[in-house]
Amino acid sequence: MKLIIQIPCYNEAETLEIALNDLPRQIEGVDEIEYLIINDGSKDDTVKVARNWGVDYIVDLKRNKGLAHGFMAGIDACLRNGADIIVNTDADNQYNADDIEKIIRPIIEGKTDIVIGARPIDETEHFSPLKKKLQHLGSWVVRKASNSDIPDAPSGFRAYSREAAMRINVTNEYTYTLETIVQAGREKIPQTSVPIRTNAELRPSRLFNSMYGYVKKSMVTIMRAYLMYSPLKTFTLIALFPLTLGLGIDIRYLIKKWKGQGQGHTQSLILGSTLTMIGFMTFVIGLVADLIAKSRRILEDVQYHTRRLDYDREIKNNEK
């Protein structure tokens, strides 16, 4: 059983060594632990710090591509180097590294494929009251969108089995945290959550510049992920409003016409017909999107098998 702990980094020279020093060297049930950092176009000495410390692998992106891209680049490198379990944590030492054993234990025992660490949000001192409420709200929305019970969706402290890591995809450029939960929920990849501890804040978050920006980007990410995996349901719900309103107006016009009171209500007929057409076309768009979603699932299955063959071949070549 091989565990690789990956850490996405962007200008983390000041805090990276602190985070690395806290990482576990051995865990019961794990034969080998290795360490990987993703240098997301850092302009400071992040890579130098990592090399001096002795990390096993460095994924070096020449320019900043964002957390989501860096995360997937790290997953790819971990799989190519034979990871059976991948743990993702932060370079600012936000998460208590002693809890790595806790989040990988359900995977080792074969109970699940994804484990997400749930932070004590209400007890975290450096979270403002507004941020705490928004964290809870965002997690609730993700639970509804993913049909899961994950209490802390934005948490970046998580573990993936090799099987789950080969199946996940991230299409947005903002963050992997929300989209991967929605995908796992909709694709019925087993996932669970365990309570974890956090450390004192070493630096402010760099993921967003303002609370408004965080909320806006998070909502867009959730909506896009939900549209990708439940397009027919989404577009049907959207179509119901204009369709119902349009049919209601048309029926009203027909009743008045039947009573001989239709004169002067032509505008109502036009409005009702337009709304009905909009609702019908929205539903048709949902049908087309559903067909595209089914095609995407076939492509994802092909991608999974291609990844599996590619990674297994590379591991065998490395062993020779």
Side-chain angles (χ1 to χ4, degrees):
M1 182 72 70
K2 182 176 183 178
L3 165 67
I4 296 183
I5 303 171
Q6 71 168 34
I7 306 178
C9 299
Y10 178 61
N11 294 336
E12 303 288 2
E14 294 183 4
T15 61
L16 179 58
E17 187 173 2
I18 299 173
L20 289 169
N21 286 337
D22 284 351
L23 295 180
R25 303 298 185 271
Q26 57 183 13
I27 295 175
E28 183 180 352
V30 176
D31 302 311
E32 187 178 2
I33 301 178
E34 294 181 338
Y35 312 93
L36 176 148
I37 71 152
I38 306 105
N39 174 43
D40 192 14
S42 298
K43 296 178 177 61
D44 64 359
D45 292 330
T46 295
V47 172
K48 182 179 178 181
V49 170
R51 285 199 177 113
N52 290 341
W53 189 86
V55 299
D56 298 278
Y57 311 105
I58 297 176
V59 178
D60 196 8
L61 306 179
K62 300 306 179 185
R63 57 177 298 180
N64 181 255
K65 295 188 176 182
L67 184 58
H69 185 95
F71 170 79
M72 288 305 299
I75 291 290
D76 178 71
C78 289
L79 291 171
R80 289 187 184 281
N81 286 284
D84 297 299
I85 302 176
I86 301 169
V87 167
N88 187 87
T89 188
D90 282 0
D92 62 357
N93 206 39
Q94 174 186 172
Y95 307 109
N96 191 315
D98 290 338
D99 289 333
I100 287 177
E101 180 173 4
K102 185 186 291 186
I103 68 170
I104 69 170
R105 187 58 54 191
I107 297 176
I108 293 175
E109 295 173 354
K111 295 178 179 178
T112 190
D113 282 317
I114 301 174
V115 182
I116 298 169
R119 297 166 292 180
I121 294 174
D122 292 326
E123 287 76 44
T124 304
E125 295 182 359
H126 60 269
F127 283 4
S128 67
L130 176 60
K131 185 173 181 178
K132 292 176 182 179
K133 292 184 184 300
L134 290 174
Q135 292 275 15
H136 287 306
L137 175 61
S139 296
W140 177 81
V141 173
V142 171
R143 285 197 296 274
K144 294 300 179 183
S146 62
N147 287 333
S148 69
D149 58 355
I150 304 301
D152 185 10
S155 171
F157 192 47
R158 47 184 67 191
Y160 294 88
S161 70
R162 184 174 182 82
E163 182 74 11
M166 284 193 288
R167 289 193 176 276
I168 61 172
N169 288 290
V170 178
T171 59
N172 79 91
E173 297 180 356
Y174 173 53
T175 179
Y176 61 90
T177 56
L178 309 178
E179 184 177 345
T180 50
I181 294 175
V182 175
Q183 181 192 2
R186 292 293 163 181
E187 297 294 331
K188 301 189 183 326
I189 301 173
Q191 60 181 333
T192 190
S193 179
V194 297
I196 54 140
R197 296 161 292 173
T198 56
N199 299 317
E201 185 179 38
L202 296 180
R203 61 159 176 77
S205 173
R206 294 174 181 163
L207 190 57
F208 56 92
N209 296 322
S210 67
M211 195 61 66
Y212 171 74
Y214 169 73
V215 173
K216 182 179 71 172
K217 288 183 178 180
S218 296
M219 290 300 104
V220 170
T221 299
I222 295 168
M223 288 176 61
R224 286 184 62 185
Y226 189 76
L227 277 170
M228 284 181 62
Y229 294 99
S230 298
L232 183 58
K233 180 179 179 181
T234 304
F235 281 102
T236 298
L237 290 173
I238 295 173
L240 281 177
F241 175 73
L243 193 60
T244 303
L245 186 58
L247 288 174
I249 293 173
D250 286 342
I251 292 171
R252 175 178 173 272
Y253 173 80
L254 291 174
I255 292 173
K256 285 187 175 292
K257 185 74 173 177
W258 180 70
K259 291 181 178 180
Q261 302 172 0
Q263 189 174 1
H265 293 279
T266 307
Q267 296 91 336
S268 295
L269 177 62
I270 295 172
L271 176 62
S273 300
T274 302
L275 288 171
T276 302
M277 188 179 298
I278 290 171
F280 178 73
M281 292 304 297
T282 303
F283 177 71
V284 170
I285 291 171
L287 288 175
V288 174
D290 189 59
L291 292 174
I292 294 172
K294 290 186 182 339
S295 297
R296 192 195 66 252
R297 288 190 181 98
I298 295 172
L299 291 173
E300 285 180 344
D301 191 55
V302 172
Q303 181 191 53
Y304 163 74
H305 286 92
T306 303
R307 281 176 170 174
R308 189 165 190 168
L309 289 170
D310 184 28
Y311 295 142
D312 289 350
R313 186 186 306 114
E314 187 156 341
I315 292 170
K316 288 179 182 178
N317 290 336
N318 291 337
E319 289 175 351
K320 290 181 180 179

